[in-house]
Amino acid sequence: MKWLTVFLAGMVLGLMLTVPAMAADYDLVILNGRVMDPETMYDAIANVGIKDGKIAVISKETITGKETIDATGLVIAPGFIDGHQHCIEPYAYRLMLRDGRTTIMDLEIGAYGPNVDKFYKSREGNSPVNFGVSVAHEFARAAVLDGFSDWKYLNTPDAVRSRVKQGWSSTRPTLEQGNQILAAMDEGLRQGGLGIGSTVGYMRAGVSSREIFELQRLAGKYGRYINMHFRLTPGDDVQEVLGIQEMLANAAALGSPAIAAHFNNPGYNLVHELLVRMRDRGYNVWGEIYPYHAGSTALNAVFLEPEVWVKALGNKYEDTLQDVATGKFYTQKTREEMLKKEPTRSVIVYKCPEEWVANWVKLKGVAIGSDGMPLMPDDGLTWDTPYDKLPNTHPRFSGSFAKVLRLARENNVPLMQAVSMTSYNYAKPLGDMGLKAMQRRGRMQVGMVADITMFDPETVTDNSTFAKGTLPSTGIPHVIVNGIIVMKDSEPIKRFDAGQPIRFEVQEKGRFEPLTAEGWTKTFYASPVDFGGGVPGSQPDMH
Ligand SMILES: [Zn+2]
């Protein structure tokens, strides 16, 4: 039986060698592209073989598969990860793919804690991109302090109605209410929410330092982040820095992770330095920017009140506050009139010199979060709605990632740094938190999930503008999600089975223990009367 021995030996040898497999051994092959991996710094023209949703081989040898994409002249990069997209709805997905995004997560506002599981369930099998969500601080406050319960979207777009009342923003909770707020968020963390999202900048009067600290303590019990829209953002360069210092001091005291949401504001350079220095010391803290000099929000945001926006910060409505739908700038008078009609109407807020935008793309280690806003009104909008029929929105919705690549090209930022910003810089810190889905993404390596974005480094560009914010990016022809082709030759493909939930496993039990003034006094010896306000033991009359 000599022939059998030879045959078996040949098979063993074949298994041992990691030579590329023969015909159609891969589900999909991508040929002759420039493969870039921001973790290992691998950067070479190579072929990529995908099998069972994973990257099975990266090789200079010839490989074949059931399907083939020719990537000559293109960069083969990890799929873009957007940690700050408020609109996770079918009508948004084609624009997400055109901008190269394979994962979109609403980590800043998020979902009401008890709804986290529903958020995921309602999107499973209904999305070509991966999706994830934080546990929302402001929705827990809206539920407890305003009795809000009319959830429709299970994440940010619900704010259009929950923000009409003001208790969520301005009320200091009693100890009992504070415990209810924290318990609702604990339930969301138990259900697998990625961390806590706090829009404290919209709740300046209502949220004490104590309350923020307790949020970070709760998230820390699960080893998860807080993501903060800083307390005084947007403000000046002192207020921006004070905002991150509140968050980072707590993160250091508690050893819990933290995300600085959209710090592309006056003060960004010191915010960046603080993050870099804390990461160097081993803290899992990071920050994100979107590459635009204007923001977007609801007209009734507290920081747009005349006492803050005009008197304290020295802005003029006529120069800085623009209606998204009409393109007209507000005056104090027209703003007041609109507040009566439609308090949460979308506006664009100009807050930085345009020249700063290129600087933000030079900040090494920063991640990209688009801060894309829900499109309103959205009645009847679907996957098929033509781009030019979508209601207007801030251009960051559809252009953030391509714009980063364009700005990197125009400002001599190394391409590998830009690739890292668009993917790895979110995947790495989330993976370090123990989030398995992100330990296997954001990297072009064998064994990683095949979320892949291919772009032409010479031509990739955003096209959306403040006047027309829903124009698709160009120069990003092909996108793969979990090994499935979801865009080919710039034509998005309706594969709603491709996207996977990005979440933690559901835990059997929550970890929150209700706060008591007695318990605190026992450990920390001081009087509960000046305990810090809000949560717990609030004495609102004394502030
Ligand atoms: Zn924000």
Side-chain angles (χ1 to χ4, degrees), residues 22-48:
M22 298 311 288
D25 261 14
Y26 300 109
D27 299 331
L28 168 65
V29 291
I30 305 166
L31 304 180
N32 302 316
R34 178 178 171 190
V35 178
M36 298 184 75
D37 177 47
E39 187 163 72
T40 61
M41 306 301 272
Y42 180 88
D43 182 355
I45 304 293
N47 302 317
V48 178

Side-chain angles (χ1 to χ4, degrees), residues 84 86 108 199 202 229 261-262 371:
H84 195 146
H86 293 297
E108 186 212 32
T199 40
Y202 292 84
H229 175 129
H262 52 45
D371 203 359

Side-chain angles (χ1 to χ4, degrees), residues 119-416:
F119 169 90
Y120 283 108
K121 290 271 161 61
S122 65
R123 286 161 177 84
E124 267 171 51
N126 197 23
S127 170
V129 292
N130 307 311
F131 47 90
V133 79
S134 280
V135 181
H137 183 205
E138 77 164 69
F139 288 150
R141 289 178 57 92
V144 172
L145 302 173
D146 292 325
F148 185 82
S149 62
D150 184 17
W151 314 105
K152 178 177 168 195
Y153 303 87
L154 306 169
N155 68 317
T156 298
D158 285 321
V160 170
R161 283 157 305 121
S162 67
R163 284 187 178 186
V164 173
K165 281 193 185 176
Q166 286 301 309
W168 68 277
S169 167
S170 59
T171 301
R172 283 280 189 107
T174 63
L175 177 56
E176 196 191 342
Q177 289 169 328
N179 277 326
Q180 287 168 2
I181 290 166
L182 290 165
M185 285 191 289
D186 184 53
E187 176 57 13
L189 293 167
R190 189 192 72 78
Q191 290 184 14
L194 295 172
I196 285 177
S198 177
T199 40
V200 60
Y202 292 84
M203 309 185 281
R204 300 166 184 205
V207 175
S208 63
S209 304
R210 163 64 62 182
E211 185 166 332
I212 290 295
F213 178 82
E214 295 297 343
L215 296 181
Q216 291 185 244
R217 195 157 79 98
L218 177 62
K221 286 187 180 189
Y222 291 81
R224 301 182 200 170
Y225 63 76
I226 191 169
N227 180 345
M228 263 172 70
H229 175 129
F230 304 150
R231 183 178 285 280
L232 301 170
T233 296
D236 60 21
D237 55 359
V238 173
Q239 295 174 333
E240 183 78 2
V241 175
L242 286 174
I244 195 172
Q245 285 170 336
E246 174 178 29
M247 181 176 82
L248 292 183
N250 293 340
L254 294 161
S256 57
I259 308 173
H262 52 45
F263 71 91
N264 41 289
N265 292 306
Y268 69 87
N269 46 21
L270 185 49
V271 168
H272 178 63
E273 182 172 344
L274 290 169
L275 287 167
V276 169
R277 287 179 180 277
M278 281 197 57
R279 275 203 304 276
D280 284 350
R281 288 173 174 265
Y283 293 101
N284 192 12
V285 296
W286 71 102
E288 51 155 56
I289 60 110
Y290 55 82
Y292 295 86
H293 64 297
S296 184
T297 190
L299 187 63
N300 67 351
V302 288
F303 51 78
L304 293 176
E305 289 298 309
E307 304 83 70
V308 183
W309 193 248
V310 180
K311 283 197 197 108
L313 293 170
N315 296 305
K316 278 190 191 156
Y317 291 124
E318 290 81 349
D319 302 332
T320 58
L321 191 64
Q322 188 180 24
D323 192 273
V324 168
T326 66
K328 276 199 185 135
F329 281 83
Y330 282 93
T331 64
Q332 185 154 346
K333 189 160 169 281
T334 57
R335 177 175 176 272
E336 275 161 23
E337 286 163 3
M338 184 57 83
L339 280 175
K340 283 179 205 139
K341 276 192 274 179
E342 204 184 319
T344 56
R345 195 173 167 88
S346 295
V347 288
I348 287 168
V349 183
Y350 293 86
K351 57 193 170 100
C352 294
E354 195 169 359
E355 310 85 75
W356 289 7
V357 179
N359 294 340
W360 301 330
V361 177
K362 296 174 187 168
L363 301 174
K364 231 176 158 179
V366 160
I368 305 303
S370 69
D371 203 359
M373 302 290 280
L375 305 187
M376 293 290 167
D378 62 359
D379 301 327
L381 301 183
T382 68
W383 160 272
D384 294 308
T385 306
Y387 302 121
D388 60 356
K389 292 282 183 325
L390 294 168
N392 197 31
T393 189
H394 189 300
R396 66 194 182 186
F397 182 93
S398 41
S400 286
F401 284 72
K403 185 169 180 183
V404 166
L405 296 171
R406 172 174 66 79
L407 289 175
R409 178 176 67 230
E410 291 170 356
N411 293 280
N412 301 314
V413 175
L415 188 55
M416 188 64 94

